[in-house]
Amino acid sequence: MKSIEELDLPEDYRYADDHEWAKLDGDKVRVGLDDYAQDQLGEIVYVELPQVGAVFQKGDVFGMVESVKAVSDCYMPVGGEVVAVNSALEDSPQLINQSPYDDGWMIDVKPADIAEMDTLYTREGILEKLKEGGEQ
Amino acid sequence: MADFAGYEMPLWYPAGPKEEHLAVLTKVGVFDTCHMAVILISGSGALDLLQRCFTKDLERCIGKRNAPMSPGKCTYGAFLDDRGEVIDDSIIGQLGPDLYMAVVNAGMGGDVSSHLKQNRNGRVVEIIDLTDQVGKIDVQGMMAAPVVQKLMANPDHVFDRLPYFSFKGHFDPKSECADAVRLRDGTPILLSRTGYTGEFGFEIFVASDHTVELWQEIIEAGETSGIQPCGLAARDSLRAGAVLPLSHQDIGSWPFINHPWPFALPYNTERTGFTKDFIGKSALEQVTSPEYTYAFAGYDVRKVPVHEGNPVVLDLAGHEIGVILTCVSDMSIGRHNNKIYSVLSPDKPEGFIPLGLSCGFIKIRRPLAPGDIVLLKNGKREIKGEIVQDIRPDRTARAPLNVMLQA
């Protein structure tokens, strides 16, 4: 497992309590799992994603990732409609481990309320939470 | 890293558990198994004590002809209590006349030694718990023979007649057997054609102060073969796919009967009774509400984690019929037209890519038959599992050494 110092948590992403990330890209928000989540889960072997068109509230379960160690729910960092899913994860779920912020993205969301982005952690905020929680 | 019975052990190395699992099938893997304990049982009453405490009939446990145990042979069974429940499982090897070695699980050296001592009843037997005094490294997989060959001073001699479940040498420099197998630097080892992966390979026992050096020598010797250090996760998925139980998870505090490992019990040829008396025998013969342990295989890689939620087994009508003991994903197998193939299957479909299958063991309150379908469920998900007699096909554990030497 990585130490907190080893985690890659880019500045231009926002982070949720359960270590989903959200990144504003034009009028949509791209969502994935952060480096901490993928590192804790270990090698991911299966990903369940929602249908395009599904609508979720912030905090709803939108999918599931399965690693050798565990099966984990993924929660919406912001509410909205799913407008795209990363179908490459079907055949290559390990992309989440290999490239959590790029090739391993999970869904694109058309946010219902863009202000929900402001409820998420910045890089500094999530780092502080990790240190306080003694999650490492 | 994970705490495993007091030992800090890696769940996986940087390559990851899937790569590690596949490396054992297609190349070679190396496992640090120093957490396992060795117990020496010696004296004129040693055989009689083991006959009383161990489930295998050592007078008739070797080969199809039921030959008695002899030096250099080993056999798999379990130590039971009066209730027929498992204290631990073990491979017992005979080192010499009146001298046996029992290899037990992490942290179990003390418990099994005490159990043996408590049942000595005047027999002349010495029991020595060598917990943490013997290092153990497993080299398992397709290329294990050429790798181990490079380690030894006298490989031709050692590899001559070393079938599955036999061993040569000793880890104690003072033993008479120590000359049988030596590393190139002269260190004596005990080399055993056993393992916990279902694949061809060896378990190497060495004095604990030489363990790190041996590990490094193995890594060097295996470099050209693509040797892969393997952690507990790959060990778990390899053994589950090979239908091997994990002690205290698939066998444990319930009667050791009605399970996929009848060869660990001293059945007579007709399977109507046992050929010897042993601790736990009458309890096994008088089980009143039997439970049945079965291997199952799923239909894709999705599993139901047994340490999360409330994992249960349901029949197709939705009635709860039992519990899940082990559920992991064997990443080297997949189904095609409902038949399971492995990456090693000679008849695998063209272009076969293993997507992985969940598999493991369930314990059910009524008998089922191979082909029956059950549902495995916890809070998060429900998967279908088929009752099977075997999981990962075309395993190599029993392959002849001379064939594997050409790998």
Side-chain angles (χ1 to χ4, degrees):
Chain A
M1 301 285 168
K2 293 183 179 183
S3 66
I4 292 178
E5 291 70 34
E6 288 172 306
L7 291 173
D8 179 23
L9 297 162
E11 287 281 0
D12 47 346
Y13 288 66
R14 292 292 172 270
Y15 302 91
D17 274 314
D18 296 284
H19 293 278
E20 293 82 14
W21 56 255
K23 186 172 192 288
L24 195 59
D25 179 13
D27 61 348
K28 57 184 203 245
V29 174
R30 183 156 276 196
V31 174
L33 295 185
D34 75 10
D35 194 29
Y36 176 81
Q38 73 78 20
D39 184 55
Q40 290 285 317
L41 281 162
E43 190 166 13
I44 291 166
V45 295
Y46 195 85
V47 181
E48 276 178 29
L49 293 174
Q51 298 283 335
V52 170
V55 177
F56 298 102
Q57 308 276 319
K58 174 181 162 73
D60 284 355
V61 173
F62 71 85
M64 218 182 253
V65 289
E66 170 149 3
S67 70
V68 170
K69 212 166 75 176
V71 179
S72 291
D73 291 327
C74 305
Y75 302 94
M76 293 292 275
V78 296
E81 181 187 344
V82 177
V83 293
V85 300
N86 184 1
S87 52
L89 295 178
E90 263 175 52
D91 286 334
S92 307
Q94 70 279 9
L95 286 173
I96 293 180
N97 300 110
Q98 292 163 358
S99 176
Y101 300 105
D102 295 307
D103 298 342
W105 68 277
M106 297 178 76
I107 56 172
D108 282 337
V109 179
K110 191 171 146 205
D113 176 8
I114 196 72
E116 282 181 344
M117 283 296 283
D118 298 331
T119 65
L120 300 173
Y121 294 101
T122 59
R123 168 190 155 82
E124 287 69 32
I126 196 79
L127 273 172
E128 201 171 311
K129 178 174 179 289
L130 281 166
K131 283 173 190 159
E132 277 170 13
E135 286 183 66
Q136 189 58 49
Chain B
M1 301 294 277
D3 175 67
F4 190 75
Y7 294 84
E8 201 187 352
M9 296 185 65
L11 289 173
W12 49 77
Y13 290 83
K18 180 181 176 184
E19 195 74 21
E20 293 169 20
H21 179 117
L22 286 167
V24 170
L25 270 83
T26 58
K27 293 182 274 184
V28 55
V30 55
F31 301 74
D32 169 3
T33 52
C34 293
H35 58 291
M36 298 186 75
V38 173
I39 301 166
L40 292 180
I41 305 112
S42 61
S44 59
L47 176 62
D48 196 44
L49 176 63
L50 290 174
Q51 286 290 64
R52 176 87 187 121
C53 294
F54 194 57
T55 56
K56 227 26 185 288
D57 185 346
L58 301 182
E59 302 280 13
R60 52 191 306 285
C61 64
I62 302 298
K64 291 199 176 93
R65 292 164 181 236
N66 297 321
M69 191 78 162
S70 58
K73 300 285 186 204
C74 37
T75 191
Y76 171 80
F79 295 99
L80 307 183
D81 61 19
D82 288 331
R83 291 166 304 193
E85 300 178 0
V86 175
I87 299 168
D88 202 12
D89 65 350
S90 177
I91 288 178
I92 286 187
Q94 183 169 0
L95 291 159
D98 298 331
L99 178 58
Y100 299 84
M101 157 176 125
V103 184
V104 297
N105 288 282
M108 293 309 296
D111 288 22
V112 174
S113 296
S114 305
H115 177 70
L116 289 168
K117 285 176 187 168
Q118 277 160 21
N119 289 287
R120 234 175 338 199
N121 295 337
R123 294 179 185 91
V124 179
V125 190
E126 190 180 18
I127 294 145
I128 305 172
D129 174 12
L130 292 177
T131 294
D132 296 338
Q133 293 174 49
V134 184
K136 177 170 172 291
I137 299 176
D138 301 359
V139 183
Q140 304 271 304
M142 190 58 89
M143 313 281 278
V147 172
V148 169
Q149 184 183 38
K150 284 191 213 168
L151 303 172
M152 294 182 300
N154 51 345
D156 295 349
H157 192 248
V158 174
F159 279 174
D160 181 35
R161 275 169 291 177
L162 188 63
Y164 189 50
F165 265 70
S166 71
F167 64 92
K168 288 184 180 177
H170 205 297
F171 47 82
D172 180 357
K174 295 192 288 291
S175 162
E176 292 167 17
C177 312
D179 274 335
V181 192
R182 287 190 186 273
L183 300 174
R184 282 171 312 181
D185 68 1
T187 306
I189 58 168
L190 188 151
L191 183 73
S192 180
R193 266 289 307 277
T194 44
Y196 193 46
T197 61
E199 302 303 327
F200 179 88
F202 303 90
E203 295 182 295
I204 305 176
F205 298 79
V206 67
S208 57
D209 56 5
H210 199 84
T211 314
V212 175
E213 217 173 313
L214 176 60
W215 176 271
Q216 284 156 354
E217 285 164 24
I218 294 168
I219 297 288
E220 262 174 53
E223 208 180 343
T224 51
S225 309
I227 197 163
Q228 175 62 56
C230 300
L232 284 180
R235 189 164 163 83
D236 201 29
S237 54
L238 284 158
R239 68 91 192 170
V243 199
L244 299 172
L246 175 60
S247 192
H248 308 114
Q249 182 166 307
D250 302 314
I251 56 179
S253 53
W254 59 89
F256 185 64
I257 198 160
N258 303 318
H259 51 57
W261 311 286
F263 51 81
L265 284 165
Y267 281 113
N268 59 24
T269 323
E270 302 77 30
R271 287 281 295 273
T272 52
F274 298 130
T275 58
K276 68 163 188 178
D277 194 19
F278 59 98
I279 296 171
K281 173 174 177 263
S282 49
L284 296 185
E285 288 168 342
Q286 291 161 32
V287 173
T288 45
S289 44
E291 293 182 299
Y292 303 84
T293 302
Y294 295 103
F296 74 91
Y299 288 83
D300 59 41
V301 73
R302 288 176 301 161
K303 59 187 173 292
V304 173
V306 292
H307 303 296
E308 293 172 26
N310 175 35
V312 290
V313 180
L314 311 174
D315 62 16
L316 290 178
H319 302 115
E320 196 179 317
I321 54 170
V323 295
I324 309 170
L325 301 172
T326 285
C327 185
V328 297
S329 298
D330 183 326
M331 298 305 295
S332 58
I333 56 176
R335 285 181 186 263
H336 182 79
N337 292 336
N338 219 17
K339 182 171 181 265
I340 301 175
Y341 295 89
S342 122
V343 288
L344 291 185
S345 296
D347 58 343
K348 66 186 174 195
E350 205 174 314
F352 174 75
I353 296 169
L355 296 174
L357 291 180
S358 57
C359 60
F361 302 102
I362 53 176
K363 185 156 62 79
I364 304 292
R365 289 190 293 273
R366 63 176 197 229
L368 296 173
D372 285 355
I373 307 293
V374 294
L375 302 172
L376 285 69
K377 189 178 178 184
N378 72 357
K380 279 182 187 163
R381 67 158 51 131
E382 181 177 291
I383 64 169
K384 273 199 309 179
E386 178 191 12
I387 304 301
V388 292
Q389 285 177 308
D390 204 357
I391 300 173
R392 188 170 72 247
D394 306 303
R395 296 192 300 272
T396 56
R398 293 163 190 275
L401 207 162
N402 55 358
V403 173
M404 300 307 276
L405 209 45
Q406 312 303 320

